[in-house]
Amino acid sequence: MRRVLVFSGGADYADPWHPFAETSAIVAEVLREEGDVTVVDTLEDLVARIDAADLLVINAGGGTSPHPLDARLAEILAGYGGPLLALHVAATLMPEHTAWESRLRGRWVRDVTFHPERGPMNVRPVSASVADLADLDTVDEAYTALRVSPEADVLLVHDDDDGVAHPLAWTNESDGCRAAYSALGHDAEAYGSPLAPELIRRLTRWLLA
């Protein structure tokens, strides 16, 4: 059975905006379709379990400024070469560590990236791998102006009021290492839509293929 490790915000990486315990529990339930899932929220527990993980999922973020534990987290992740799935606010992590953006092939850029107030949004597929998704309406934060590498395979976008498409989910494989990102999943209501959990299923299956 595949071993999935979820690093959740809420303890070492806490913020006042995201219900990490709630969303990580939902994510873990979805991932149990693929294997055995453990959720941790401290770097100590992450270190203790990461070597045995077949897939690492990060559902934690960095807040509005660099985090005091960023250097240690970057060191831990540098030693992990397996599949990686980053969710929602994980794009904000480790702003002073370029290796995170290189691994993820994208990031939230402070004072550039933003999101309108959480609310209804429509998502559009731009890749054949997700073209069959039936319900692309959700209630979430529409991450806008993420910096995404041209090397990433963008799967889903949302269009702003000017018709500009903004990537919300992508995959990347570099030097045999696979990584994927979904900007969806701010809270339980976001995961109540079929879209966010189905995207996790598809990204996970691609990562573990």
Side-chain angles (χ1 to χ4, degrees):
M1 178 176 287
R2 301 294 185 98
R3 292 164 295 187
V4 181
L5 180 61
V6 178
F7 177 61
S8 175
D12 281 352
Y13 278 80
D15 72 36
W17 307 286
H18 295 90
F20 288 119
E22 188 175 23
T23 56
S24 291
I26 295 169
V27 168
E29 192 60 33
V30 174
L31 291 168
R32 287 190 180 97
E33 300 171 11
E34 303 299 326
D36 180 59
V37 182
T38 301
V39 179
V40 300
D41 59 8
T42 68
L43 295 189
E44 181 180 359
D45 286 338
L46 179 63
V47 169
R49 296 177 180 272
I50 195 170
D51 288 344
D54 297 306
L55 170 66
L56 176 62
V57 181
I58 298 185
N59 183 41
T64 58
S65 60
H67 193 283
L69 294 175
D70 279 351
R72 179 59 176 144
L73 178 58
E75 180 184 19
I76 295 167
L77 295 181
Y80 173 76
L84 171 70
L85 173 59
L87 301 175
H88 193 55
V89 74
T92 68
L93 281 170
M94 297 174 287
E96 297 179 329
H97 296 265
T98 59
W100 178 238
E101 182 174 358
S102 297
R103 182 73 186 275
L104 202 58
R105 288 297 189 264
R107 75 146 43 259
W108 177 289
V109 181
R110 284 168 175 78
D111 299 322
V112 175
T113 309
F114 65 98
H115 65 75
E117 185 177 351
R118 172 188 165 280
M121 61 182 289
N122 180 260
V123 179
R124 179 166 58 87
V126 291
S127 170
S129 64
V130 292
D132 62 321
L133 286 175
D135 188 349
L136 297 178
D137 291 312
T138 187
V139 176
D140 212 326
E141 292 177 333
Y143 277 18
T144 301
L146 291 163
R147 184 166 66 204
V148 182
S149 168
E151 298 174 359
D153 180 14
V154 176
L155 307 181
L156 298 174
V157 301
H158 79 89
D159 298 308
D160 66 19
D161 292 340
D162 295 323
V164 177
H166 296 275
L168 288 172
W170 61 81
T171 60
N172 176 74
E173 184 169 6
S174 179
D175 298 325
C177 295
R178 290 189 169 191
Y181 173 73
S182 168
L184 302 177
H186 173 75
D187 55 14
E189 185 175 9
Y191 281 109
S193 161
L195 178 58
E198 179 60 22
L199 183 58
I200 285 178
R201 290 185 188 97
R202 296 192 185 207
L203 293 176
T204 298
R205 289 167 188 165
W206 177 80
L207 287 164
L208 292 175

